[in-house]
Amino acid sequence: MWFKDVINDDIETFINEEEFAETHNLNGTVCTAIIQDIVIDEDLTVSNKDYGYGAYGYGALINVRKNKLPRVPKFGTAWTVDGKIGEIVNVADDMGVLTITWKVNDI
């Protein structure tokens, strides 16, 4: 078995509805993903908007297979998660799994 095959098997285990993942609507694409709610208490300067010191925002870390989305979201763009509008803060691609940091300005 090749290394890439082993990694792909691990990803299938991780992003699996019988384990950690659930079906979500990510910006109009219904797919399997893992969503972890987070509070963003760091610098909330996004798209030239300064929210000031002590500002908190609600957000999520989203893990989804890259090939399940029609395109990789871009920093600073509006994006919906299960019908709620937010903004992309960061996107990392780790061997075909996207880790998307998404925030809603609920301060």
Side-chain angles (χ1 to χ4, degrees):
M1 185 177 268
W2 296 97
F3 180 70
K4 287 183 179 182
D5 296 328
V6 172
I7 295 298
N8 193 48
D9 287 347
D10 287 347
I11 292 168
E12 285 301 320
T13 299
F14 182 63
I15 302 179
N16 177 326
E17 287 187 7
E18 294 178 12
E19 299 296 333
F20 303 108
E22 296 176 331
T23 300
H24 292 279
N25 186 325
L26 303 180
N27 209 41
T29 301
V30 176
C31 59
T32 303
I34 298 169
I35 298 181
Q36 303 170 63
D37 292 339
I38 59 172
V39 172
I40 302 170
D41 61 354
E42 298 174 3
D43 180 10
L44 290 177
T45 305
V46 177
S47 301
N48 298 322
K49 298 176 190 169
D50 186 5
Y51 297 103
Y53 294 104
Y56 289 84
Y58 163 81
L61 286 178
I62 304 163
N63 293 106
V64 62
R65 290 191 71 117
K66 182 178 180 179
N67 63 6
K68 298 297 181 185
L69 298 178
R71 64 192 147 285
V72 176
K74 302 290 183 199
F75 169 81
T77 59
W79 217 64
T80 61
V81 175
D82 295 330
K84 190 166 188 174
I85 298 173
E87 189 171 9
I88 299 295
V89 176
N90 190 38
V91 178
D93 182 352
D94 295 312
M95 299 181 78
V97 175
L98 298 178
T99 300
I100 302 166
T101 306
W102 173 83
K103 75 158 188 82
V104 177
N105 190 26
D106 281 347
I107 58 175

